[in-house]
Amino acid sequence: MSSDRRKEHKDDAESQLDGPSDGGSAGDPDGDLYQAEGSLSPGTTSDQPQQRPTGGSDKSSIDTGLINSTAKQPLSSGNNVFWWLRERCLGRGVVVDPFRENFRIMTSLYSSMNPADSVNLSTRTHGAVFNLEYSPDGSVLAVACEQTEVLLFDPISSRHIKTLVEAHEDCVNNIRFLDNRLFATCSDDTTIALWDLRKLNSKVCTLHGHTSWVKNIEYDTNTRLLVTSGFDGNVITWDTNRFTEDGCPHKKFFHTRYLMRMRLTPDCSKMLISTSSGYLLILHDLDLTQSLEVGSYRILRARRTTASPGGSPRNSLEVVTPEIPGERDRGNCITSLQLHPKGLATLIRCSSNTDDQEWTCVYEFQEGAPVRAVSPRCSLKLTHYIEEANVGRGYIKELCFSPDGRLICSPYGYGIRLMAFDDQCSELVDCLPKESSCLKEIRSIYSHSDVVLTTKFSPTHCQLASGCLSGRVSLYQPKF
């Protein structure tokens, strides 16, 4: 069975809402999408009692006055929340933007998450679920599977749309939407594929350039450069402005050993790279049109920069050894890496080299000059952490931020765990502790019969998806 963290690499490196949904499903502009053999079964309820954060998280605290005044329509007490969600999804009202501070409403919704539907196919040929990705408009949920397949679902109706049976020749690791129609997939077969939702019978093109497993994909919307990374240690940029059926121009942007994951900040001003040796590499003032190749950690350490009156050069490199609670004197492997949707912090999941402990940690980005001029710049400060269940050793568990950045969802054994920075699910900037503190558990939900490997929030709906080792995809939504 394939996994992101196989033995060979380690040795070498060291849903639908309860309110109306218009019966919607993903669009089928050219008739290429079709309904297949999907079947739905109710999700398993949580083994733990429902937990609600304090400070107005009860249903009665929802600001219906705000909703009524915004919508200018009367709401029934039973449907007001779900009517508001539907209006928000349709782009109506002043509460469309998920970043708006509707704390009481969103806290109530998030803390009321429960299993909604589980997507089960009549066959289990797709294997484990390694990655989940929503389209930017939330109309399609794409699933990256172990056995060469990509599954597409309508997350509102939980309807299976299409299976890309031979999307790749090996396990599919990551999916990234470039817009509401075009998306990219990457695989252990060393290739990246571009797909168009309007014509899924064939790939738009296949990209060749990596020499080992390709593990994740990022996209710079400003330059329209696709950025990929793999276990060959390479970060490669692809110019999608000039792609053809034969591929598109590409170049090696960066190389380092022990590479695990690569991410771009939302404004594409920084690139973060996690490694199996416990380092985080940060490229500041990012310019993807230039190349920066470094061959060893000795050279990387020599390039650590200090703040200067003239500012840092483009693509200045910083090497950080993140502080890990309980791991100060032990090595660790940073397996999962995510960024706050507003670029305020980075989120990592790491395990000890002996695989006996697992941690989730949040680090705030520190800007400005260091306290001492002779000290190297250190951009990350540990603010929150929590120890994980450490179930399913050897597999990478992909965690995620909610669209507003106030919640974290982490795979937790055979379920998921929702966590916040404080009991009120406040913004990170409003509750920064003087000393690092434990994340607050909002809710744990157990709806799988196998180890959960990946989670993802919908960008537009109050919905969450998770996928597990046995291939099951579960959807979660508020239930009162």
Side-chain angles (χ1 to χ4, degrees):
M1 184 172 286
S2 173
S3 71
D4 277 359
R5 192 172 164 207
R6 297 185 181 177
K7 177 74 175 173
E8 294 81 7
H9 174 71
K10 184 177 180 182
D11 293 340
D12 181 66
E14 233 0 64
S15 128
Q16 179 180 350
L17 299 174
D18 281 358
S21 62
D22 291 336
S25 62
D28 188 5
D30 293 341
D32 190 67
L33 302 180
Y34 67 91
Q35 181 175 358
E37 65 279 15
S39 62
L40 304 178
S41 63
T44 304
T45 57
S46 172
D47 288 342
Q48 297 184 2
Q50 180 170 336
Q51 302 174 12
R52 293 183 183 271
T54 60
S57 61
D58 193 82
K59 178 183 178 182
S60 60
S61 67
I62 298 175
D63 193 350
T64 54
L66 170 62
I67 300 173
N68 282 320
S69 63
T70 300
K72 297 182 179 179
Q73 293 186 23
L75 301 177
S76 65
S77 60
N79 296 326
N80 53 1
V81 173
F82 299 105
W83 186 91
W84 171 78
L85 279 174
R86 179 176 180 272
E87 294 299 290
R88 178 175 177 266
C89 298
L90 293 175
R92 301 171 184 168
V94 299
V95 289
V96 173
D97 187 353
F99 297 129
R100 293 183 183 271
E101 299 180 351
N102 298 292
F103 289 156
R104 286 187 294 172
I105 293 175
M106 298 311 296
T107 298
S108 178
L109 293 173
Y110 283 136
S111 62
S112 302
M113 283 286 192
N114 277 284
D117 291 309
S118 294
V119 181
N120 293 310
L121 300 184
S122 58
T123 62
R124 292 300 183 94
T125 60
H126 56 280
V129 174
F130 283 161
N131 184 242
L132 298 164
E133 184 72 11
Y134 284 88
S135 60
D137 62 2
S139 64
V140 176
L141 174 63
V143 182
C145 300
E146 177 188 14
Q147 300 296 336
T148 77
E149 296 181 355
V150 173
L151 312 178
L152 299 174
F153 296 93
D154 176 356
I156 304 302
S157 66
S158 305
R159 183 174 63 90
H160 176 223
I161 301 171
K162 190 173 180 68
T163 297
L164 307 179
V165 179
E166 295 181 353
H168 287 274
E169 296 178 1
D170 207 333
C171 61
V172 186
N173 297 316
N174 192 238
I175 301 172
R176 174 69 61 181
F177 277 88
L178 282 61
D179 52 38
N180 287 324
R181 294 299 182 187
L182 194 66
F183 66 96
T185 60
C186 65
S187 168
D188 280 1
D189 67 5
T190 76
T191 70
I192 301 96
L194 291 180
W195 304 85
D196 193 324
L197 286 175
R198 296 165 293 186
K199 189 177 181 182
L200 289 170
N201 289 333
S202 62
K203 304 172 185 178
V204 174
C205 64
T206 300
L207 309 180
H208 299 270
H210 285 279
T211 57
S212 186
W213 305 336
V214 189
K215 289 301 179 183
N216 78 287
I217 307 170
E218 292 287 284
Y219 183 61
D220 184 349
T221 55
N222 299 320
T223 61
R224 293 189 66 189
L225 289 176
L226 200 68
V227 190
T228 60
S229 68
F231 279 178
D232 55 5
N234 291 328
V235 177
I236 297 178
T237 59
W238 311 81
D239 188 357
T240 60
N241 294 294
R242 295 186 289 165
F243 74 81
T244 65
E245 293 182 355
D246 298 324
C248 61
H250 69 278
K251 67 177 181 178
K252 185 167 69 176
F253 173 73
F254 183 81
H255 175 83
T256 183
R257 294 184 296 168
Y258 315 125
L259 189 153
M260 289 293 291
R261 289 290 186 270
M262 172 273 306
R263 302 290 180 195
L264 300 179
T265 53
D267 62 359
C268 297
S269 64
K270 296 182 181 69
M271 176 185 288
L272 278 75
I273 297 172
S274 66
T275 67
S276 60
S277 57
Y279 292 104
L280 267 180
L281 313 181
I282 307 177
L283 289 171
H284 296 270
D285 303 308
L286 187 65
D287 182 0
L288 290 171
T289 63
Q290 303 177 9
S291 293
L292 177 62
E293 298 184 20
V294 182
S296 71
Y297 279 124
R298 178 181 60 82
I299 299 175
L300 288 175
R301 291 191 185 99
R303 293 199 59 162
R304 295 181 73 174
T305 59
T306 58
S308 61
S312 302
R314 300 302 297 271
N315 294 334
S316 63
L317 184 63
E318 178 186 3
V319 183
V320 178
T321 305
E323 176 187 354
I324 309 294
E327 298 286 324
R328 290 177 177 83
D329 300 320
R330 307 169 63 191
N332 61 81
C333 175
I334 303 174
T335 57
S336 181
L337 175 67
Q338 298 292 339
L339 290 169
H340 190 280
K342 298 181 184 179
L344 303 177
T346 184
L347 174 68
I348 71 169
R349 184 153 175 164
C350 59
S351 60
S352 62
N353 284 343
T354 55
D355 272 344
D356 60 345
Q357 278 186 309
E358 233 180 340
W359 295 85
T360 289
C361 300
V362 179
Y363 300 87
E364 181 198 15
F365 282 112
Q366 303 285 295
E367 304 293 346
V371 176
R372 295 180 297 169
V374 296
S375 301
R377 173 174 57 184
C378 184
S379 296
L380 299 178
K381 177 186 176 183
L382 177 66
T383 62
H384 297 83
Y385 60 88
I386 197 167
E387 188 170 4
E388 295 288 1
N390 197 25
V391 177
R393 296 181 183 181
Y395 286 94
I396 291 176
K397 292 92 178 181
E398 296 285 1
L399 65 181
C400 62
F401 278 107
S402 62
D404 55 14
R406 296 194 289 120
L407 259 76
I408 295 166
C409 184
S410 178
Y412 191 60
Y414 287 13
I416 62 171
R417 181 161 62 168
L418 291 173
M419 298 172 289
F421 305 117
D422 66 6
D423 291 330
Q424 287 74 43
C425 299
S426 302
E427 292 273 12
L428 177 61
V429 294
D430 296 328
C431 60
L432 283 173
K434 293 182 179 179
E435 301 291 337
S436 57
S437 62
C438 191
L439 287 164
K440 304 298 182 182
E441 182 175 331
I442 301 300
R443 187 162 175 75
S444 294
I445 309 173
Y446 299 91
S447 59
H448 288 271
S449 59
D450 211 334
V451 178
V452 176
L453 300 180
T454 182
T455 59
K456 193 69 176 181
F457 279 95
S458 167
T460 55
H461 301 70
C462 195
Q463 187 185 71
L464 174 65
S466 63
C468 72
L469 192 57
S470 62
R472 176 181 176 134
V473 177
S474 290
L475 302 176
Y476 310 83
Q477 67 187 34
K479 289 185 179 179
F480 295 98

